[in-house]
Structure formats: structure tokens, C-alpha cells
């Protein structure tokens, strides 16, 4: 059968001819995946039921931990020092500690609808005396708003 333009077959695998990108492995997760993000040597995956699985980056078939959230997770973003933001279908944005894999808090004063996208900047300044610089974050929602968050400095 004919392949779409831009694809080639190498050693029995179909690869994109542009930009050096190729799919080298496909995992059947059993459920639709809503969001995934690489953090260090881990891949955090949010599924259709609201569970977040933490997997080995080099072997994503290996599950290290699972975090039940009881809510649909639409998007995720990581910010140093080890904080993961999760945009949810309701009740806004939950924050999780990357190291301990535990829930920290929910951001208040936010959206009235589901949070579908997150963007976090690199920081407004440099790391000084073990404190992270002030940062900004943005969240987009199906409530037709984008919210800007001011993230105060905290210690590593």
C-alpha cells in the first residue's frame, strides 16, 4: 500500500523523513491518554479515568507509581523545584510534589470551567541563595478565560 508523503521504511519501521523524528515504540495503555509529560527520568501519563501513572522514561511499560485524582486531567506542566501542575476538568489546577508523588494544594481564585492548557515561564531572574526566582504561569479554560498566575520565590 502507498505510504503518505514524508515517510520512509527503514529496517521494517516507518519513519518520518523530516527533522529526524521517528516512532520507535507504541504501548497499548488500555485507556485514552489525555496528557503526558516527561519530568527527569519519568513520564507522567493522565488517563481517561483520572488516574496518573508515573512510568520509567526509558521503559514506559514499567509503572513506578499511580496517583488517583478522581478528576479528568486535561494538561500538565512542570516547574522547578519539583512541582507538577495538573489542569483538571473541575476545581481548577492541582499541584503535586514530583519527588514524593503527593498532592500539595489546589490553586484558588481560578477558573470556573475545565483547565485545558498550561504554560510556565523560566523565571524572572536567577537562582539566588537557594531561592527560585519569581515566575509566571498561564492557564486556559473552557470558561473562555486565560488566567495569569504569579509564582513567588521559594527555597529549593
Amino acid at each position: 500500500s502507498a505510504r503518505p508523503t514524508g515517510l520512509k521504511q527503514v529496517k521494517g519501521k516507518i519513519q518520518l523523513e523530516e527533522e529526524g523524528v521517528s516512532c520507535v515504540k507504541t504501548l497499548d495503555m488500555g485507556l485514552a491518554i489525555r496528557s503526558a509529560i516527561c519530568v527527569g527520568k519519568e513520564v507522567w501519563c493522565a488517563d481517561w479515568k483520572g488516574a496518573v501513572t508515573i512510568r520509567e522514561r526509558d521503559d514506559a511499560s514499567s509503572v513506578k507509581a499511580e496517583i488517583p485524582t478522581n478528576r479528568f486531567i486535561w494538561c500538565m506542566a512542570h516547574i522547578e523545584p519539583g512541582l507538577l501542575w495538573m489542569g483538571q476538568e473541575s476545581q481548577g489546577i492541582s499541584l503535586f510534589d514530583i519527588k514524593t508523588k503527593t498532592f500539595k494544594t489546589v490553586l484558588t481564585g481560578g477558573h470556573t470551567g475545565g483547565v485545558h492548557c498550561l504554560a510556565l515561564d523560566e523565571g524572572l531572574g536567577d537562582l539566588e541563595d537557594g531561592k527560585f526566582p519569581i515566575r509566571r504561569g498561564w492557564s486556559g479554560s473552557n470558561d473562555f478565560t486565560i488566567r495569569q498566575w504569579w509564582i513567588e520565590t521559594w527555597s529549593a
Side-chain angles (χ1 to χ4, degrees), residues 47 51-54 63-68 101:
D47 69 27
V52 175
T53 54
I54 297 110
V63 176
K64 293 175 70 175
E66 185 170 334
I67 300 171
K101 318 283 190 270

Side-chain angles (χ1 to χ4, degrees), residues 16-119:
L16 292 172
E17 291 179 347
E18 300 173 28
E19 305 298 323
V21 176
S22 63
C23 177
V24 295
K25 190 172 187 178
T26 301
L27 298 173
D28 182 359
M29 306 299 273
L31 291 168
I33 301 299
R34 290 184 176 264
S35 184
I37 187 171
C38 287
V39 180
K41 294 184 179 186
E42 299 174 334
V43 179
W44 290 54
C45 300
D47 69 27
W48 190 261
K49 288 185 176 179
V52 175
T53 54
I54 297 110
R55 299 168 176 274
E56 294 286 340
R57 184 172 179 172
D58 294 329
D59 179 11
S61 62
S62 174
V63 176
K64 293 175 70 175
E66 185 170 334
I67 300 171
T69 64
N70 302 321
R71 293 192 170 64
F72 288 142
I73 303 297
W74 289 105
C75 56
M76 294 185 282
H78 172 249
I79 191 169
E80 290 295 342
L83 196 61
L84 192 72
W85 292 39
M86 293 186 190
Q88 300 178 150
E89 67 169 331
S90 64
Q91 295 185 355
I93 301 166
S94 288
L95 303 180
F96 286 81
D97 183 300
I98 297 272
K99 291 181 183 118
T100 63
K101 318 283 190 270
T102 57
F103 171 79
K104 297 309 258 180
T105 190
V106 173
L107 298 181
T108 58
H111 297 284
T112 59
V115 175
H116 289 262
C117 58
L118 294 165

Side-chain angles (χ1 to χ4, degrees), residues 80-82 126-128 130-135 151-156:
E80 290 295 342
D126 297 322
L127 182 72
E128 291 182 22
K131 291 187 177 183
F132 282 81
I134 293 173
R135 300 177 186 199
I151 306 158
E152 296 290 335
T153 304
W154 70 89
S155 298

